[in-house]
Amino acid sequence: MNRRNFLKTSAVSSAALALGTGSLVSSCAAKPAEEAKKPDTKLNISFQTGTAPGEDLSQKLDFMEGLGIVGLEPGGHDLAERVEEYRKALTGRNIKISAICAGFDGFILAEDPAVKAQFDETYRRILEAAGELGSTGVIMVPAFNGQKPCRPHTLETRQWLTEQLHELGEFALKCGTTVILEPLNRGEAFFLRQVSDAAALCREADSKGVKCMGDFWHMKEETSDYAAFISAGEYLQHVHIASRGERKTPGEDGALDNYVDGFRALKEMNYPYYVSFECGLRSEDRAATVTAAVELIRKQWEMA
Ligand code: MG
């Protein structure tokens, strides 16, 4: 094609494109109201066991029910011994076990076989208890920066980890639950620090029992909350929330505590699991602060 013909063709293409764009705009504008409305995804809020005020589990659950909280996230440490206690406490309530927060000994990337064996034994025991309680999964960080000796951060380690995760994921499925990988940030866990990388590990592990999560606090390293959640897609199984300045209760860091961009992704994905409080408290009044936090995140969910 000579230059003159090229220019002619380009002019025609541009005109077609302009027309096309015009018709696209008008077809969007003509969309019926039902199609244009935002997804009607429900916000399922969960608390860790320390979040609600109360002298014991029963008082905490009463407080949570009063706020419409539907999930409880216990630690895994003594879960196997407390299955019946949790079952009884939740009977007749509109609260389910959401995820289980870690609580195992050792770590999966340990170089010392004895430490790896501790991990294998205790993590599997928590998976069994989590399954009995109908939990969505058991949260795991592959290695904190301080956990040493740790397998080196190499391609071989990653390959080895995906094989280990595959086995664990299949075991979790048999228990009726999942493994949930939690990315942190480089200050705490250099090995795994972005939601998309955790999701890629899930895909490579090739087991429906291997999932991941996002924690708004750790997600400070993400360039976009929206993109981080969207990138996890079908692998996203849990979400943690805290204030974004000092990891206190949402709202305690004022304008920093904006979750709208991430919530927009969760709504678009029709995310069916929990957004769970994992946070400290600056105020002296736990009940009032937690209540305000729930109001704040419900309002932001509506805005998203
Ligand atoms: Mg977390």
Side-chain angles (χ1 to χ4, degrees), residues 17-157:
L17 193 67
L19 274 176
T21 311
S23 57
L24 189 70
V25 168
S26 53
S27 74
C28 278
K31 249 185 178 181
E34 302 84 65
E35 275 182 57
K37 82 174 183 189
K38 291 177 182 175
D40 196 17
T41 309
K42 220 173 132 233
L43 171 64
N44 298 312
I45 305 177
S46 159
F47 281 179
Q48 287 192 340
T49 40
T51 306
E55 297 289 307
D56 55 24
L57 185 58
S58 164
Q59 284 184 14
K60 285 169 183 286
L61 291 170
D62 288 344
F63 177 88
M64 288 164 67
E65 269 191 329
L67 277 182
I69 306 306
V70 292
L72 175 71
E73 181 184 320
H77 172 65
D78 54 358
L79 195 73
E81 295 79 53
R82 297 184 66 185
V83 169
E84 273 319 302
E85 180 192 341
Y86 281 119
R87 255 199 202 130
K88 272 190 194 150
L90 295 177
T91 303
R93 293 186 188 267
N94 189 29
I95 299 175
K96 292 188 167 57
I97 296 291
S98 56
I100 306 300
C101 192
F104 48 87
D105 297 326
F107 61 110
I108 195 168
L109 289 175
E111 265 194 331
D112 181 343
V115 179
K116 169 65 166 47
Q118 267 185 334
F119 166 82
D120 282 327
E121 192 204 323
T122 55
Y123 189 77
R124 278 175 166 78
R125 201 190 311 146
I126 299 169
L127 282 172
E128 287 168 341
E132 287 184 59
L133 287 165
S135 166
T136 61
V138 181
I139 298 167
M140 180 226 290
V141 173
F144 284 86
N145 289 345
Q147 289 180 308
K148 288 180 178 148
C150 180
R151 284 177 182 261
H153 198 159
T154 60
L155 196 56
E156 288 72 26
T157 297

Side-chain angles (χ1 to χ4, degrees), residues 182 184 213 215 218 240 247 278:
E182 180 169 16
L184 302 188
M213 62 173 290
D215 179 324
H218 297 295
H240 276 163
R247 206 183 193 181
E278 181 181 55

Side-chain angles (χ1 to χ4, degrees), residues 10 24 43 81 148 169 173 197 201 206 260 271 288:
S10 303
L24 189 70
L43 171 64
E81 295 79 53
K148 288 180 178 148
L173 284 180
D197 197 22
L201 269 175
D206 193 25
V260 176
Y271 171 74

Side-chain angles (χ1 to χ4, degrees), residues 76-281:
H77 172 65
D78 54 358
L79 195 73
E81 295 79 53
R82 297 184 66 185
V83 169
E84 273 319 302
E85 180 192 341
Y86 281 119
R87 255 199 202 130
K88 272 190 194 150
L90 295 177
T91 303
R93 293 186 188 267
N94 189 29
I95 299 175
K96 292 188 167 57
I97 296 291
S98 56
I100 306 300
C101 192
F104 48 87
D105 297 326
F107 61 110
I108 195 168
L109 289 175
E111 265 194 331
D112 181 343
V115 179
K116 169 65 166 47
Q118 267 185 334
F119 166 82
D120 282 327
E121 192 204 323
T122 55
Y123 189 77
R124 278 175 166 78
R125 201 190 311 146
I126 299 169
L127 282 172
E128 287 168 341
E132 287 184 59
L133 287 165
S135 166
T136 61
V138 181
I139 298 167
M140 180 226 290
V141 173
F144 284 86
N145 289 345
Q147 289 180 308
K148 288 180 178 148
C150 180
R151 284 177 182 261
H153 198 159
T154 60
L155 196 56
E156 288 72 26
T157 297
R158 191 176 171 95
Q159 180 59 34
W160 177 88
L161 179 61
T162 57
E163 287 159 15
Q164 292 289 311
L165 287 172
H166 177 83
E167 274 180 38
L168 266 187
E170 293 300 297
F171 180 83
L173 284 180
K174 281 186 198 140
C175 298
T177 191
T178 70
V179 172
I180 303 179
L181 293 171
E182 180 169 16
L184 302 188
N185 57 64
R186 68 191 78 209
E188 289 185 54
F190 203 89
F191 190 89
L192 184 59
R193 51 184 185 74
Q194 287 194 298
V195 177
S196 58
D197 197 22
L201 269 175
C202 296
R203 185 183 57 190
E204 286 155 35
D206 193 25
S207 164
K208 289 205 182 316
V210 181
K211 302 286 184 178
C212 68
M213 62 173 290
D215 179 324
F216 276 104
W217 163 253
H218 297 295
M219 281 164 61
K220 284 199 290 192
E221 279 191 33
E222 306 280 358
T223 51
S224 158
D225 294 339
Y226 176 84
F229 284 136
I230 290 285
S231 74
E234 65 185 284
Y235 302 111
L236 190 73
Q237 188 87 349
H238 197 56
V239 170
H240 276 163
I241 195 164
S243 78
R244 310 195 83 171
E246 292 184 12
R247 206 183 193 181
K248 302 298 180 191
T249 300
E252 289 202 293
D253 284 324
L256 284 178
D257 298 345
N258 189 327
Y259 312 96
V260 176
D261 193 44
F263 284 170
R264 188 163 56 89
L266 299 181
K267 285 173 93 167
E268 283 182 20
M269 292 159 76
N270 255 320
Y271 171 74
Y273 304 109
Y274 298 89
V275 173
S276 193
F277 280 50
E278 181 181 55
C279 56
L281 178 77

